[in-house]
Amino acid sequence: MPTSTPAPSAAPALNLRAAIDIDIEYIVQTRTSETWSRPVDAEHGQLPGLDVWHAVRRARRSYAAQALIGEHGILTLTTATAAMRFIPADAYADYFCSAQDCEESTEDGEGWQGLCGNCADRAYAKELDEDTSESISPAVPASPTPRSLPATPDTTAPAYSSADLRTAAATVYGMLLDALDPQSGVGEGIGDHTIPSTEGTTASRTWQSLGDDEASQIYDVMRQLLGAAPDLSRWAVDMAAEQLLPEPEPLTRWQDDAAAVRVHLAFASHVTAEQRASIQSALRLVLRADL
């Protein structure tokens, strides 16, 4: 958060609930080092107020996150390794930089035309550079460049490691998933989706077409599955960092008609289809072995 932005203050759950407007949209920002950014997934980049409330509630309970209230209704969740900020959409339009890929506040008073101070300085420097380039005549020889001292090597090491970044990203990933709380109506959002096994058939139908009572039971089962699902955020972030693509189907060892071992595979793009098939065949042999 820019130094010109007033520091938010911690608040109890009661005040947080009152501070969150469930009828408006919130812009989501995340921070893993010193820079705020928007989530890559557009679904996570903006959330309704009700989902924000559930995200705050669950993050405090599951991640021991500290919830803070700032000016303009901005809420910040912080843990030991990461931070997430929820900004009312109107406040985001009024008080945050309009430059692409910049998520800084414009309240430092040093910007112009919707830009924060840093982006305004860069835009001004670019204009000066273009004006200077146009004013220089190519017929005038350039002055010889004076010999300069060797540059002092930058020995400043970052205050964090790549492993720290992955851990922080996994924390934020988990917090974003928690924001999609099934109790907020996300489960019911699947009602208009086609039941996969009926898609493309003459009996194609949606979940909601089963009727209110049966659909309600299905949504309850979905909530139970979501609640019992393990946290795979670190696995997903590691795959993204290493540019691995998951295989759609896992390998399974069955025992007494139940899954005893399941192996999920992910490959780099340069691994050929033949190599993938060979690896999968070898793993199937291992899973079938009498261990």
Side-chain angles (χ1 to χ4, degrees):
M1 183 178 297
T3 55
S4 60
T5 303
S9 57
L14 183 62
N15 290 349
L16 281 172
R17 180 62 188 86
I20 298 173
D21 189 342
I22 63 174
D23 296 321
I24 67 172
E25 294 288 311
Y26 284 78
I27 303 300
V28 181
Q29 292 180 342
T30 61
R31 187 181 68 191
T32 55
S33 56
E34 293 300 321
T35 304
W36 289 100
S37 61
R38 296 284 298 279
V40 176
D41 190 337
E43 184 181 17
H44 294 147
Q46 185 167 329
L47 295 175
L50 188 58
D51 283 348
V52 171
W53 163 238
H54 286 296
V56 171
R57 178 172 55 84
R58 296 184 66 176
R60 297 182 76 189
R61 182 177 67 247
S62 303
Y63 299 95
Q66 183 180 16
L68 310 169
I69 301 177
E71 286 192 345
H72 315 303
I74 298 174
L75 281 86
T76 305
L77 289 177
T78 60
T79 67
T81 58
M84 178 181 292
R85 195 156 63 183
F86 301 97
I87 307 165
D90 290 343
Y92 181 80
D94 293 340
Y95 301 110
F96 284 79
C97 186
S98 60
Q100 188 175 6
D101 299 327
C102 180
E103 298 296 324
E104 298 297 341
S105 169
T106 57
E107 293 191 276
D108 53 11
E110 299 177 3
W112 47 275
Q113 295 183 355
L115 299 175
C116 67
N118 290 335
C119 289
D121 289 343
R122 284 192 288 269
Y124 180 64
K126 182 178 180 181
E127 289 183 3
L128 285 180
D129 184 59
E130 291 174 351
D131 292 343
T132 302
S133 299
E134 293 174 357
S135 64
I136 295 177
S137 172
V140 179
S143 301
T145 303
R147 176 177 294 181
S148 59
L149 295 174
T152 302
D154 183 8
T155 58
T156 304
Y160 53 86
S161 65
S162 59
D164 292 332
L165 287 178
R166 291 192 188 191
T167 300
T171 301
V172 172
Y173 184 91
M175 293 166 70
L176 286 171
L177 291 179
D178 279 343
L180 299 177
D181 193 309
Q183 297 294 337
S184 66
V186 174
E188 284 77 353
I190 203 172
D192 294 330
H193 289 231
T194 302
I195 300 174
S197 62
T198 70
E199 190 168 6
T201 69
T202 56
S204 177
R205 60 190 307 182
T206 65
W207 292 104
Q208 190 58 46
S209 70
L210 299 175
D212 291 342
D213 291 341
E214 189 169 356
S216 179
Q217 294 177 7
I218 290 170
Y219 300 147
D220 287 339
V221 173
M222 290 182 185
R223 293 188 184 102
Q224 294 172 21
L225 289 173
L226 288 172
D231 183 1
L232 299 179
S233 54
R234 181 55 188 262
W235 180 72
V237 168
D238 283 346
M239 280 204 306
E242 296 161 8
Q243 298 183 352
L244 299 176
L245 299 175
E247 287 291 290
E249 297 296 332
L251 303 179
T252 306
R253 177 187 175 99
W254 299 93
Q255 184 175 336
D256 298 330
D257 296 326
V261 179
R262 177 154 291 164
V263 179
H264 292 267
L265 299 176
F267 294 100
S269 59
H270 61 77
V271 180
T272 66
E274 291 77 8
Q275 291 172 323
R276 297 183 189 197
S278 296
I279 292 172
Q280 289 172 338
S281 295
L283 288 174
R284 286 192 182 96
L285 291 175
V286 172
L287 290 173
R288 292 170 184 166
D290 187 11
L291 303 177

